[in-house]
Amino acid sequence: MIEILNPAELARAKETGALVAHILQTLRSRSVVGTNLLDIDRWAQEMITEAGALSCYVDYEPSFGRGPFGHYICTAVNDAVLHGLPYDYRLADGDLLTLDLAVSKGGVAADSAVSFIVGGSRPPESVAMISATERALSAGIAAAGPGARVGDISHAIGSVLSEAGYPINTEFGGHGIGSTMHQGPHVSNTGRPGRGYRLRPGLLLALEPWVMADTAELVTDADGWTLRSATGCRTAHSEHTIAITDDGAEILTLPERPRP
């Protein structure tokens, strides 16, 4: 299913995107050395409930997971990259943490993810990998606009990731989003320009470049959800929900900048 939102739905999508951005920004600031992943999940639940919104994850039961997800946010640490199931783990200095959050409010969903390093350590390889996913995300957004095709976005993302030297997995990627979290079209993190679905104003896309340092192979954790790098290498993941407009792409999940 591919949805094209009307102006009223787009207005609600902006509200949902702002909420997702706010929650992620708050959780990032609270995720310090010693923070338990289960506390992050609890904080996410509290903020979603306070906002009168709904989690897209807690009852989510796709074919690639084991039963309902049962939590409110994905927390992926170090070699985990996607669908990280929160568990009883306290963050350590230098951990690479990815927070991935999808919420629905007013009947419209938004999805975003951010990777960052916990504490004062700054391992150069991890910093570079996070930066590569952020640059790839920016390139994909720049390639999105009315009349462009999904392949243009995929090519832009893949070019950045490949030039940075990272293998690219094509099992999971970006996706359409709207009244439900996962819709068509699929947006691979590599592809050929000029191919695929033609973008139209009113389309929402969640673009999510993610990489593993030295492999494109995933393994599923014993929890039935968490996807990890097959070699145990570190990973990174960046994601925004965007709306295709007459003028290009508008980022709906961009955090607010602090006022001077």
Side-chain angles (χ1 to χ4, degrees):
M1 176 177 67
I2 297 177
E3 290 183 347
I4 302 299
L5 275 62
N6 61 39
E9 292 167 331
L10 282 172
R12 294 200 297 273
K14 292 179 182 181
E15 292 181 10
T16 308
L19 174 63
V20 168
H22 170 69
I23 293 175
L24 274 184
Q25 193 174 34
T26 302
L27 294 176
R28 177 173 182 164
S29 69
R30 292 183 181 179
S31 299
V32 298
V33 174
T35 300
N36 194 302
L37 299 182
L38 293 176
D39 285 333
I40 297 174
D41 185 57
R42 177 173 55 82
W43 296 333
Q45 178 186 7
E46 291 171 352
M47 285 186 280
I48 291 169
T49 302
E50 278 182 18
L54 297 173
S55 167
C56 293
Y57 292 161
V58 68
D59 295 323
Y60 190 48
E61 193 173 1
S63 59
F64 54 79
R66 184 190 299 164
F69 188 74
H71 291 271
Y72 291 80
I73 191 168
C74 295
T75 56
V77 182
N78 296 332
D79 65 324
V81 63
L82 297 173
H83 315 152
L85 196 73
Y87 65 104
D88 185 10
Y89 173 79
R90 293 192 178 276
L91 295 169
D93 186 59
D95 276 347
L96 199 166
L97 174 63
T98 298
L99 301 177
D100 189 351
L101 179 69
V103 164
S104 178
K105 186 175 182 183
V108 185
D111 192 358
S112 185
V114 59
S115 289
F116 57 95
I117 301 168
V118 177
S121 297
R122 289 293 178 269
E125 298 84 359
S126 297
V127 172
M129 184 164 49
I130 294 170
S131 175
T133 63
E134 292 172 343
R135 296 196 314 273
L137 180 55
S138 294
I141 294 169
R149 293 186 180 271
V150 165
D152 299 326
I153 298 173
S154 298
H155 177 72
I157 290 172
S159 295
V160 173
L161 298 180
S162 295
E163 288 170 8
Y166 297 106
I168 301 174
N169 176 289
T170 56
E171 295 173 76
F172 296 93
H175 50 90
I177 187 169
S179 60
T180 57
M181 174 174 59
H182 284 147
Q183 301 181 0
H186 173 71
V187 187
S188 175
N189 284 328
T190 188
R192 297 175 62 183
R195 300 296 183 94
Y197 181 80
R198 189 181 295 278
L199 308 183
R200 298 165 53 192
L203 176 70
L204 298 190
L205 295 173
L207 306 183
E208 48 182 316
W210 60 273
V211 292
M212 301 175 282
D214 61 17
T215 183
E217 184 180 352
L218 291 165
V219 293
T220 303
D221 204 359
D223 64 20
W225 275 100
T226 305
L227 296 178
R228 299 183 182 274
S229 62
T231 61
C233 68
R234 284 193 163 195
T235 70
H237 177 195
S238 296
E239 178 180 17
H240 274 311
T241 293
I242 64 171
I244 306 302
T245 72
D246 290 326
D247 301 317
E250 180 179 358
I251 305 173
L252 304 186
T253 50
L254 197 65
E256 290 185 0
R257 293 183 178 180
R259 295 183 180 180

